[in-house]
Amino acid sequence: MDYSLLKQFVAVTATVGLYSVLYKENKFYRFWEHVFLGLASGWALVILWTDVLKSGWYEKMLGASAADGNTAVMGYWPYMFLLPIGLMAYTVFNKKHNWLSRIPIGIILGLYSGQQFSAWMTYYGPLLNDSMKPIVPNTAEFFHPATVVPGTVYVSDALTNLIALLTVISVLTYFLFSFDVKSKVLHATSTTGRWLLMIGFGAIFGSTVMMRFTLLIDRMYFIWIEFVKQGLLHMK
Amino acid sequence: MAMDQQAAPLTLAEKLQSLPKPMIYGILLVVATIPLFFSVKLPNKCIDPSIDFYAQAMKLPDGSKVIICSDWTNSTRGESKGEMEALLRILMRKNIKFVLLSIGDPQAPQVAKDTIREVTSAEELHGGKHYKEFEDYVNLGYFPSGEGTIVSINNNVRSVAQGKKDFPEGSGPKDALQSPVFEGIKSVSDFKMFFLVTASSTNRTVLERLTNCPMMYMVSGVMVPENTSYYASGQLKGLCGGVKGVYDLENLMEVGINNPGPGQITSDKYKGESIPGWPGKTNTGKGTAYYLALHFTLALLIIAVIVGNLGMYLSKRRAN
């Protein structure tokens, strides 16, 4: 028996229940909120065992014999020391022994810090490199011709690069000279930086609103097209 | 006593600034719903990040292997599912095998698997290949430490899959490394591309740590401004952002790049090249379905902003 329509009905009821808070706080909303929280927590616990602890630690520690086409794996007993180290994190709840929790936290911090050296350069290196662009054109042509000559900086390119450079400098000035500056040039640059930041935040806010609307549209699509039109009315 | 005093009627300015919230939500729901019943193809100009995304995906050799890191769940289904569907259609039509994993959310692998199942069924209906788990793609599941996982993938991708079991339909658990997807794979550079479909901060985690494989991202609309700088600096080979990105991809799948004909999409960057599309196949999906409704809701937002500001202007003028 196909339960897809029943499953869709439950999902539609959950959607309506969660949206009902827009009218006012109510028990129907609370019920579905708790159902969602319970399901998400339960699912996370199962995945924690199946995808993380069982395959990543337990089975590697004990090993496995060949079966069902899978090869045998030798057990790696030193993995057993990971259990007490992990359990030390829970001593944070005990006043007398909570110092032990600093050991696993220290290990994690050390690993993370070590990674960050290379991560910083991988992340910022290309961005820094890309911000160094030519601002002097080497041709009198304004726009790109039909065939772009490699290495040519057209006037339009130079202007674009100049805007990018001015943005970088003014925004950096805004953050570096956050105290009361006497120089009029610095003050003007800093103010320009603030304005450009505001424009940037406006663009991000616009994207955020657009995304939220899309999520609403998706839910409406699910209710009216997937459930009502295609599911109940069998229309294409 | 107070009952005797009648409240003064609201002025137009006060009315404009005190529209009841349930009414606004009601209008929004109606405006977001009605356009969904009409299939209207809006005019569109594909942006460079989407064109690059499509071109680079199409340039992957048929039958090659890639990694998909799927870090979205149903909370961003509106954008991420359309992105994932478009990506899967391209990969399946090019017979590209993939490794699936997630570093973002425990629910993400299952959500991705459901989407793969839907897309492969739809493709099969139109003569496409049925993508089988373990044979054509292998699911490594969820990894809780994104940072450590990506470093491991970068340094020794096989160590990440070691011990991981895939659960294909109709069979018991199988060692992920036994999958045909891992045949001939010695390092991450043997994969032709790393695709990240995300609605969370895993974009930065991957960007900081993966150096041995080219990357392309599919991100939610709110993440587009941040990721555009990574695309501009060349860290990403292509970028698909939000519903606009999905709509671009769906258009590109229909007509390709630099192919003469109706709805032609041209790109100076790929001048002299002709990248094909799949005219006649099912290329449209959530991008096309949602794009009109999105325009209507954004128009409503603009009207609401104008009405609110008009009310404020009128009340200030009255006060003066």
Side-chain angles (χ1 to χ4, degrees):
Chain A
M1 194 175 166
D2 184 17
Y3 292 104
S4 61
L5 201 61
L6 182 66
K7 282 192 272 186
Q8 280 187 327
F9 176 73
V10 174
V12 167
T13 314
T15 302
V16 173
L18 288 171
Y19 275 144
S20 68
V21 76
L22 294 174
Y23 180 65
K24 66 175 185 179
E25 173 77 34
N26 62 79
K27 286 181 180 171
F28 190 47
Y29 163 74
R30 282 281 167 205
F31 171 75
W32 285 109
E33 188 190 31
H34 285 91
V35 167
F36 175 74
L37 286 174
L39 283 172
S41 309
W43 183 269
L45 268 179
V46 172
I47 295 294
L48 181 69
W49 173 248
T50 57
D51 277 21
V52 183
L53 292 174
K54 187 166 177 263
S55 61
W57 171 69
Y58 186 72
E59 288 181 348
K60 281 183 178 174
M61 179 174 66
L62 296 183
S65 50
D68 299 329
N70 297 326
T71 50
V73 180
M74 288 283 284
Y76 190 64
W77 62 267
Y79 270 25
M80 69 183 186
F81 293 116
L82 294 176
L83 181 66
I85 295 172
L87 288 176
M88 280 177 196
Y90 291 97
T91 59
V92 74
F93 300 112
N94 183 301
K95 278 185 182 172
K96 193 177 171 188
H97 302 292
N98 62 8
W99 62 272
L100 283 168
S101 67
R102 291 178 202 157
I103 295 171
I105 292 170
I107 293 171
I108 292 168
L109 276 177
L111 288 170
Y112 191 82
S113 307
Q115 281 182 19
Q116 281 313 103
F117 285 110
S118 65
W120 191 93
M121 204 53 218
T122 313
Y123 181 74
Y124 286 107
L127 291 174
L128 290 170
N129 190 41
D130 188 53
S131 63
M132 294 169 198
K133 291 177 172 176
I135 52 169
V136 181
N138 54 16
T139 175
E141 282 186 88
F142 195 85
F143 291 114
H144 287 190
T147 310
V148 177
V149 181
T152 309
V153 183
Y154 296 94
V155 178
S156 58
D157 291 335
L159 278 173
T160 309
N161 294 347
L162 183 67
I163 292 168
L165 182 72
L166 290 176
T167 306
V168 171
I169 290 172
S170 55
V171 170
L172 281 176
T173 307
Y174 171 72
F175 282 111
L176 286 175
F177 302 101
S178 54
F179 49 88
D180 189 21
V181 287
K182 304 286 180 219
S183 162
K184 282 185 179 175
V185 177
L186 271 181
H187 189 264
T189 313
S190 174
T191 309
T192 310
R194 197 174 70 221
W195 273 91
L196 289 167
L197 277 170
M198 290 301 140
I199 293 168
F201 294 147
I204 293 169
F205 180 70
S207 309
T208 308
V209 171
M210 196 165 74
M211 184 202 172
R212 303 292 180 233
F213 277 162
T214 310
L215 303 186
L216 171 72
I217 291 165
D218 177 67
R219 283 291 87 193
M220 292 301 108
Y221 186 84
F222 176 72
I223 292 173
W224 294 105
I225 306 295
E226 291 180 11
F227 177 64
V228 176
K229 193 179 168 189
Q230 295 169 352
L232 289 178
L233 304 175
H234 299 290
M235 290 165 69
K236 282 200 173 179
Chain B
M1 290 190 302
M3 295 293 284
D4 298 335
Q5 294 174 344
Q6 282 194 328
L10 291 176
T11 62
L12 177 65
E14 286 167 335
K15 278 180 187 169
L16 288 177
Q17 288 189 91
S18 57
L19 292 173
K21 269 187 188 173
M23 191 181 91
I24 296 171
Y25 290 139
I27 295 169
L28 179 62
L29 289 178
V30 171
V31 169
T33 304
I34 290 174
L36 295 173
F37 288 92
F38 301 96
S39 182
V40 179
K41 202 165 169 63
L42 292 175
N44 183 45
K45 187 179 187 318
C46 293
I47 53 173
D48 283 346
S50 307
I51 290 176
D52 275 335
F53 188 98
Y54 182 74
Q56 296 301 321
M58 289 299 288
K59 283 181 177 182
L60 293 171
D62 286 11
S64 55
K65 291 162 185 174
V66 299
I67 298 176
I68 300 179
C69 187
S70 178
D71 291 336
W72 63 280
T73 64
N74 280 327
S75 60
T76 56
R77 194 186 96 131
E79 293 190 320
S80 306
K81 190 173 183 186
E83 292 172 342
M84 187 82 174
E85 285 175 350
L87 172 64
L88 289 171
R89 279 197 199 108
I90 296 171
L91 298 182
M92 286 178 180
R93 288 171 190 178
K94 288 179 69 65
N95 197 22
I96 291 171
K97 294 181 190 291
F98 57 88
V99 172
L100 177 73
L101 65 105
S102 173
I103 57 169
D105 194 294
Q107 295 174 32
Q110 186 58 47
V111 174
K113 272 180 77 168
D114 290 344
T115 310
I116 294 167
R117 225 172 278 148
E118 284 173 29
V119 175
T120 197
S121 299
E123 286 293 301
E124 209 181 352
L125 276 177
H126 297 92
K129 180 188 171 185
H130 179 80
Y131 254 59
K132 275 186 178 172
E133 186 167 356
F134 193 74
E135 299 296 326
D136 299 303
Y137 72 96
V138 63
N139 177 22
L140 299 186
Y142 171 66
F143 293 85
S145 162
E147 291 84 359
T149 304
I150 299 298
V151 169
S152 301
I153 288 175
N154 198 50
N155 296 338
N156 184 356
V157 71
R158 292 186 75 88
S159 73
V160 175
Q162 202 169 31
K164 281 281 182 181
K165 295 277 192 289
D166 194 10
F167 296 83
E169 273 181 65
S171 132
K174 290 185 173 179
D175 283 341
L177 280 174
Q178 305 277 329
S179 164
V181 183
F182 273 101
E183 266 177 27
I185 297 291
K186 288 176 185 156
S187 75
V188 72
S189 55
D190 292 324
F191 289 103
K192 299 294 176 197
M193 191 66 73
F194 186 101
F195 290 99
L196 176 68
V197 189
T198 186
S200 65
S201 61
T202 55
N203 64 328
R204 190 165 167 165
T205 306
V206 175
L207 200 76
E208 286 176 341
R209 290 162 173 83
L210 192 69
T211 54
N212 296 330
C213 187
M215 289 176 276
M216 293 210 283
Y217 282 4
M218 302 184 107
V219 297
S220 56
V222 66
M223 298 168 73
V224 170
E226 177 197 354
N227 286 280
T228 300
S229 54
Y230 310 144
Y231 163 75
S233 65
Q235 286 161 293
L236 303 179
K237 301 295 171 202
L239 176 67
C240 171
V243 170
K244 163 68 178 159
V246 181
Y247 191 60
D248 282 352
L249 282 188
E250 289 174 0
N251 279 290
L252 287 160
M253 277 196 275
E254 192 65 35
V255 296
I257 302 170
N258 295 336
N259 295 309
Q264 182 186 5
I265 297 171
T266 53
S267 166
D268 284 346
K269 197 169 176 183
Y270 298 96
K271 198 166 249 177
E273 290 181 70
S274 171
I275 297 166
W278 289 286
K281 285 207 171 191
T282 309
N283 299 313
T284 54
K286 296 202 179 298
T288 309
Y290 298 172
Y291 210 44
L292 180 67
L294 182 64
H295 279 74
F296 272 84
T297 49
L298 290 175
L300 177 70
L301 174 79
I302 293 166
I303 292 168
V305 169
I306 292 171
V307 166
N309 278 279
L310 186 69
M312 194 171 67
Y313 169 75
L314 288 175
S315 56
K316 270 189 179 175
R317 203 174 68 166
R318 193 180 157 90
N320 291 335

